[in-house]
Amino acid sequence: MSIEETRIYPINTGWCEADHGTYMFLKGEGGKKVDITVMCYYVDTGEHKIMVDTGLPGAERATKYHHACEKRGCLQSPDALREMGVDPEEIDVCIFTHLHWDHCSNMKAFENARYVATAEELRWAHNPLPPYYRSYESPSIGLEAPFVGCHFEVVEGEAEIVPGVSVF
């Protein structure tokens, strides 16, 4: 498969409820609840198998610590891959757009993958400002983030992760 034949598969890992005015945009109609789809992506270049983010945890944990969450039949990313015929152990790389709880849960299921994140995001994740303690599952509020104990390949600016796949 050439880079022109790279395939990107969206994986819906569920929905979280948020307040449109106060959480989503810090303006607008406060009290209006909206469901946000939480996506991650499987990228198959033919040579490499990549996850971009790893999605939501189970609905119970998400609802208990974050936002009302409904799976509505959606699988967690490792199970969604298995349904597609891909073993999570085949994933070479997990690229994280950021390390909020809803983007990096399940990451340890991809035990053979390189984890890639920006230096700035890692600084934020390990030392968040108080308004972001919950987003990063800070130990300051008694939680352990999915990324605790993981080693990351740190990138800054534009970087080629594998031939034909870059981040910026």
Side-chain angles (χ1 to χ4, degrees):
M1 180 182 300
S2 69
I3 195 64
E4 292 82 21
E5 297 177 60
T6 293
R7 296 204 181 354
I8 301 172
Y9 301 89
I11 299 172
N12 181 351
T13 62
W15 287 262
C16 285
E17 182 182 87
D19 186 280
H20 182 268
T22 58
Y23 184 79
M24 290 300 300
F25 302 107
L26 301 177
K27 61 181 178 180
E29 190 177 343
K32 178 182 177 185
K33 301 297 182 186
V34 294
D35 286 339
I36 302 167
T37 307
V38 181
M39 304 292 292
C40 59
Y41 300 87
Y42 165 56
V43 180
D44 183 357
T45 70
E47 185 178 341
H48 296 281
K49 295 181 179 188
I50 302 166
M51 288 296 296
V52 177
D53 293 333
T54 56
L56 284 171
E60 184 177 320
R61 179 177 172 79
T63 299
K64 180 176 180 178
Y65 296 113
H66 302 287
H67 304 280
C69 176
E70 293 183 17
K71 291 300 226 173
R72 301 180 194 165
C74 293
L75 301 173
Q76 289 180 222
S77 57
D79 296 324
L81 284 175
R82 286 185 193 97
E83 289 281 316
M84 297 166 59
V86 179
D87 188 323
E89 292 183 8
E90 296 176 59
I91 299 298
D92 302 292
V93 182
C94 290
I95 300 170
F96 294 97
T97 60
H98 61 290
L99 293 169
H100 286 181
W101 67 278
D102 56 335
H103 289 257
C104 68
S105 290
N106 304 304
M107 66 185 287
K108 290 178 181 170
F110 304 102
E111 58 192 44
N112 295 324
R114 298 168 25 217
Y115 299 139
V116 179
T118 66
E120 185 171 349
E121 182 58 18
L122 286 166
R123 283 191 293 274
W124 270 95
H126 289 288
N127 190 27
L129 294 173
Y132 296 97
Y133 282 173
R134 193 160 301 282
S135 297
Y136 289 109
E137 295 195 335
S138 172
S140 300
I141 58 171
L143 296 175
E144 182 174 286
F147 55 80
V148 168
C150 295
H151 173 75
F152 286 87
E153 179 179 322
V154 179
V155 295
E156 294 207 48
E158 190 168 335
E160 186 174 61
I161 306 304
V162 298
V165 176
S166 296
V167 298
F168 58 93

